[in-house]
Amino acid sequence: MAHNAPVVRNPLSPGEMFQSNADRAQLPSNTSTRYLIPEVSHSHRQDQKDIATNGLSISPSSAMTTKELQKYWQEVKSEMKPVKLLFEIHSTRTVEHALSKYVVYQIVVIKSGSYDSKRVSTERRYSDFERLHLQLLEDFSEELEEVTLPRKRMTGNFAEEHIAERCVAFKDYLAQLYAIRAVRQSTPFQDFFTKQELKKAHGCLCGGQYSWALGLLLPALDLQEKLAQHWPALMVPTLCAVMVCQRDLDDPASAFSTGQQALPLVRRYGLRKYRCPLLALMVDLGFQLGHPVAVLQEELCRVKDAQRGPVSLLSLKELVVQEFT
């Protein structure tokens, strides 16, 4: 921990740091893809089309269990119905340093159209919004012609009236960004909500502070689940980091359950570097818990035999540390 820590009003713990009616805008043909996160593969889109038109229920992988298959098709069907998000600024707090003072805004992300039991949030200050806007302008200047970031003021920044006005402005700003498909699927937009906490979690994980890391990772995972509907594979590194923390906190049951969430995504999206380390850890955890692991062992052997060249000997923990660095 750093010395001479700033005085913070109503400080939050790592877990509390986290707690868009939008049209589906189409991506223009001239839009740069530098920051765009990949869409779902053609084969996966075809699977969705087959379900919608023919009611097919073909297994995507013979290695999946019945429970995994059911979850797979539920996810596919849910992907056919775009999830819209709402952004609310529920509260603010003022942070005071020796030479600076600023306002932090708590952004709550909510699924619209149904009851959302996970109203997770994250905290950001004006400079974070400003950095996001500059990053987006590099590749989406045309799309953002009608979107403006609330301007800075020279005085009165800490007046209650001004803070209330800025809360409304930031809420509208995020809704406008989310309404543009290319923007909401971009790396800067996704990173805005989770990157700071994931970076802190990585530092805690590397330092053996697994409880603190988990307190940051779980809310970040909830946010990714809402934001990454177009590409759920984005959750895999976080899921694996959560699994490693749970294992090292002597909670094999939770770690195995997290692995069961990650494995179908790793299979579906062909994330090869994760498959063997993930399977190996699940086999070890399965033995500890007395679960049948023959199917997982067979899959692990089959994947190793199918790999060309030398097989990576990295453990999942080593892979997670490498990925988050």
Side-chain angles (χ1 to χ4, degrees):
M1 298 294 293
H3 295 290
N4 300 321
V7 177
V8 181
R9 299 181 185 173
N10 301 322
L12 302 179
S13 67
E16 294 169 331
M17 290 178 63
F18 281 90
Q19 275 272 234
S20 127
N21 293 329
D23 296 326
R24 301 179 64 198
Q26 296 299 314
L27 174 63
S29 59
N30 62 346
T31 299
S32 169
T33 58
R34 176 181 168 193
Y35 282 124
L36 195 60
I37 295 171
E39 284 279 13
V40 177
S41 66
H42 172 75
S43 61
H44 183 51
R45 290 198 299 270
Q46 186 62 45
D47 285 343
Q48 294 179 332
K49 183 177 179 182
D50 290 341
I51 297 170
T53 57
N54 304 320
L56 298 180
S57 58
I58 301 174
S59 168
S61 171
S62 60
M64 285 187 178
T65 64
T66 301
K67 183 178 179 180
E68 289 174 343
L69 284 171
Q70 290 174 341
K71 185 175 181 180
Y72 172 86
W73 292 119
Q74 286 173 356
E75 290 174 352
V76 169
K77 290 177 181 178
S78 68
E79 288 170 8
M80 295 167 65
K81 299 177 181 179
V83 175
K84 294 184 179 180
L85 299 180
L86 300 173
F87 302 92
E88 300 284 349
I89 309 294
H90 273 205
S91 64
T92 64
R93 61 190 179 94
T94 301
V95 178
E96 296 186 54
H97 294 273
L99 300 175
S100 65
K101 181 179 179 181
Y102 55 86
V103 178
V104 176
Y105 301 84
Q106 185 190 51
I107 308 163
V108 181
V109 183
I110 310 166
K111 286 183 183 179
S112 65
S114 62
Y115 175 70
D116 187 354
S117 61
K118 294 182 178 180
R119 295 165 70 91
V120 290
S121 65
T122 188
E123 290 189 326
R124 294 294 180 264
R125 53 186 291 191
Y126 184 90
S127 60
D128 296 317
F129 283 93
E130 188 175 41
R131 188 179 304 109
L132 168 66
H133 196 70
L134 291 174
Q135 288 175 333
L136 292 175
L137 283 175
E138 291 183 17
D139 283 83
F140 306 111
S141 57
E142 292 184 12
E143 291 86 346
L144 298 180
E145 285 181 355
E146 305 291 326
V147 181
T148 57
L149 179 71
R151 294 182 178 180
K152 281 186 176 180
R153 291 179 58 171
M154 298 303 294
T155 60
N157 286 310
F158 304 101
E160 290 185 10
E161 182 180 351
H162 173 65
I163 292 175
E165 290 175 357
R166 183 160 280 182
C167 286
V168 174
F170 280 146
K171 170 186 171 182
D172 293 341
Y173 173 72
L174 291 174
Q176 286 179 292
L177 293 182
Y178 185 79
I180 306 170
R181 188 179 69 178
V183 171
R184 70 172 176 260
Q185 293 182 0
S186 68
T187 299
F189 186 77
Q190 299 283 323
D191 285 349
F192 172 77
F193 294 92
T194 60
K195 188 173 182 179
Q196 290 184 29
E197 286 69 26
L198 290 177
K199 185 176 181 179
K200 292 177 184 176
H202 170 259
C204 292
L205 192 154
C206 290
Q209 298 175 306
Y210 303 115
S211 294
W212 282 88
L214 198 58
L216 292 162
L217 289 167
L218 290 175
L221 184 61
D222 287 338
L223 279 171
Q224 286 181 327
E225 186 178 2
K226 294 173 186 284
L227 294 161
Q229 293 292 323
H230 64 290
W231 190 245
L234 289 173
M235 297 187 295
V236 169
T238 309
L239 281 167
C240 290
V242 167
M243 187 179 179
V244 167
C245 288
Q246 290 169 332
R247 189 274 311 272
D248 288 349
L249 286 170
D250 296 322
D251 188 0
S254 295
F256 190 83
S257 178
T258 301
Q260 288 178 311
Q261 296 178 54
L263 189 55
L265 295 174
V266 169
R267 290 167 175 158
R268 189 198 311 180
Y269 295 103
L271 305 181
R272 296 180 182 178
K273 68 178 181 180
Y274 284 100
R275 196 161 182 179
C276 282
L278 179 58
L279 284 167
L281 182 52
M282 290 189 70
V283 169
D284 288 343
L285 292 169
F287 274 124
Q288 290 182 45
L289 297 167
H291 294 336
V293 294
V295 174
L296 293 174
Q297 285 180 307
E298 291 175 5
E299 182 179 354
L300 178 59
C301 292
R302 186 171 64 253
V303 173
K304 285 182 176 179
D305 291 342
Q307 287 185 354
R308 297 179 179 179
V311 177
S312 173
L313 299 178
L314 288 177
S315 67
L316 190 64
K317 185 173 184 177
E318 292 170 327
L319 185 59
V320 164
V321 170
Q322 184 183 82
E323 181 71 21
F324 276 64
T325 301

